[in-house]
Amino acid sequence: MALPKVGSIGEYIREQRTQAKISLRQLAAAAGVSNPYLSQIERGLRKPSAEILNQIAKGLHISAQALYVQAGLIEDREPDSDVLTAIRADNLITERQRQVLIDIYESFRKENRAGAPEEDARTAKNAPPAPEPHESDAGSPPDDESPLPEEFTAALKPYTASSVNGHVTPETKEG
Amino acid sequence: MALPKVGSIGEYIREQRTQAKISLRQLAAAAGVSNPYLSQIERGLRKPSAEILNQIAKGLHISAQALYVQAGLIEDREPDSDVLTAIRADNLITERQRQVLIDIYESFRKENRAGAPEEDARTAKNAPPAPEPHESDAGSPPDDESPLPEEFTAALKPYTASSVNGHVTPETKEG
DNA sequence: CCAGTGCGTTTGCAATTGCAAGCAGCGTGA
DNA sequence: TCACGCTGCTTGCAATTGCAAACGCACTGG
């Protein structure tokens, strides 16, 4: 059981690194870890400690939280209701902006589901005990089926359809 | 290089444990770690890995994030808002989608600041409540009246151009 | 008084992390 | 062709994690 889970975090790191167009040694130097160790981490041969993980996150200029979540080290929050709840609770944006954000988020989720039926979002280590019924407040707008206008999805296509997903490993060749 | 914070995380754990009125062994059992090791962690003699930390957090029924912050493993960057925190913590969207959402949200905030610096965005009459885009034709009507708010398309402009994933051209492959 | 049970701690060891050094492959220039 | 620099990968080894077993102490009670 030691192996499989660790792999995803390694893949994720490598994905982020290649996206950033930096070499393994560069990231290793930026993160303050040795290059062979980073190599082993990326291939899932080693399970980096939290400190190393944090340094790698800094080297990649990504959120350490995202990395921990990928590593399955943070799992308290409800994964899907959190963003929507926060958006609905935010009072610094207009109602229309709120709806746009919600639609975008749901569109992303939908695209991910369609494009990657395998729940790449890292198989949950613990089965979600009870899906919290995050009921909307009284004044919530009835979200109907048609979430987004056409041009909207069209504008998002470049991110959702092909390139954003990016789990297809464009030129990850090994062996 | 030893982090001086390691002590603080131990103190924090012990604090939480005593507050919960549970013994060291009980917490060790609940967290799935050995009692001697937990003892050493609490006294700062050992630096627990992220996995152990996560298990301890679960055993304590506290947020793993809080523990990571205490351990100095997460930048204590104050969350700009709950929305951003939630977006960053979400693992059901890709990294690029995350960035798009963050950028859009910040763009909204920025526009709101410029337009109505002191007025609560919710009270702004600028935004009608819930737009109901009951589109009839899925074709491309002349965009004399876009169903999308202007701020939205403005926010998306920078991404549609080229800069979402940094610089790489999405589908400009050499073939 | 001594067995039994709980607490936190110490000790010794297998397993693992993380690194320095070195290896093989690829592209560039003399 | 060789030298150089770059890419990532493999190999030993010190240091550390994390645990099982055992220790000392306080409390209960037969």
Side-chain angles (χ1 to χ4, degrees), chain B residues 50-104:
Chain B
E51 200 169 343
I52 297 287
L53 226 46
N54 185 33
Q55 287 173 300
I56 292 175
K58 282 180 183 171
L60 278 173
H61 300 293
I62 65 175
S63 157
Q65 291 188 12
L67 219 49
Y68 291 133
V69 169
Q70 274 292 324
L73 297 171
I74 289 182
E75 295 270 334
D76 207 357
R77 61 168 70 172
E78 176 47 32
D80 313 270
S81 84
D82 289 339
V83 171
L84 289 179
T85 303
I87 291 175
R88 289 204 179 94
D90 192 278
N91 65 331
L92 295 169
I93 53 177
T94 71
E95 201 60 36
R96 238 169 285 175
Q97 288 171 341
R98 185 195 323 283
Q99 201 54 49
V100 169
L101 276 176
I102 289 174
D103 287 347
I104 291 175

Side-chain angles (χ1 to χ4, degrees), chain B residues 94-122:
Chain B
T94 71
E95 201 60 36
R96 238 169 285 175
Q97 288 171 341
R98 185 195 323 283
Q99 201 54 49
V100 169
L101 276 176
I102 289 174
D103 287 347
I104 291 175
Y105 177 76
E106 287 180 342
S107 174
F108 283 169
R109 292 286 309 276
K110 187 179 172 186
E111 293 209 2
N112 291 344
R113 267 192 281 271
E118 294 174 80
E119 198 168 355
D120 192 34
R122 268 194 156 133

Side-chain angles (χ1 to χ4, degrees), chain B residues 23-41:
Chain B
S23 77
L24 190 147
R25 276 183 156 89
Q26 282 176 322
L27 174 56
V33 304
S34 71
N35 32 78
Y37 189 45
L38 180 57
S39 168
Q40 289 165 323
I41 289 171

